[in-house]
Amino acid sequence: SDPSLSAEAAPAREDKFLQQGARKALSTLCDVTAAPPVCRLPLSLDSERRAWALIRNRTVARVAAHVNSVDDDDRLLRQDDASGDLTVNQRHAVIVRREEKLGLQRWCSLVVMVSDFLDQPEGERALELVRVSDGEALETDEPR
C-alpha cells in the first residue's frame, strides 16, 4: 500500500480557499443569501482581473502541493485493479486525490480563458454598466 495516502494532513485554516474573513467582506457588499448572490456595486475591470489573479494564484499553489501526477494515480489504481493491495479507504483516497487534480486542471484552464478575455476589448465591454429602466420587470431584486 502507498504510505503517502494517509500522510497528507488536513489543510491549515489559512490555506482554505475562501476564509470566513473573505466571506464576511463579500457579504458587506453583496446579498450572499440570495440565489444567485446580488451585488449592489458595479464590478470594475481591475477588480475582476485581481479576483481572477487571486483564483489563479491559489489554484496554482494547490496544484503545486500535489507530490504526484494524475498519471501516477491512474497507474496506482490499475495496479490495485490487478492486485487488490489497497484498502477500500486507500483506493477512495487515490480516486478523490485524482479527481481534485483534474478539477484543479480545469480551473487553471478556466482562469486562463477568463484572464485572456478580460485582457481583450470585448472583456472590458462586457463589464460596462448598463442601466435597466425602472419599467422593466426583473426576476430578482437586482440593482437597476
Side-chain angles (χ1 to χ4, degrees), residues 20-75:
Q20 185 63 27
R23 189 180 317 275
K24 186 175 180 180
L26 180 63
S27 69
T28 63
L29 300 173
C30 303
D31 178 2
V32 294
T33 61
V38 176
C39 296
R40 306 257 177 239
L41 298 173
L43 301 175
S44 71
L45 183 60
D46 181 57
S47 69
E48 280 296 296
R49 285 178 175 154
R50 286 186 288 129
W52 283 100
L54 172 68
I55 294 169
R56 180 190 61 240
N57 293 341
R58 293 288 176 100
T59 304
V60 167
R62 185 69 185 141
V63 168
H66 287 285
V67 294
N68 54 14
S69 67
V70 171
D71 290 338
D72 292 336
D73 289 341
D74 287 340
R75 181 187 44 73

Side-chain angles (χ1 to χ4, degrees), residues 8 11 59 62-63 65-66 70 73 93-107:
E8 195 169 319
T59 304
R62 185 69 185 141
V63 168
H66 287 285
V70 171
D73 289 341
V94 172
I95 292 168
V96 168
R97 181 178 66 193
R98 178 185 180 277
E99 292 302 314
E100 179 183 19
K101 291 172 196 170
L102 292 172
L104 289 169
Q105 289 173 0
R106 287 189 287 274
W107 265 109

Side-chain angles (χ1 to χ4, degrees), residues 84-99:
D85 287 340
L86 297 178
T87 67
V88 171
N89 286 344
Q90 288 173 326
R91 183 174 179 85
H92 287 169
V94 172
I95 292 168
V96 168
R97 181 178 66 193
R98 178 185 180 277
E99 292 302 314

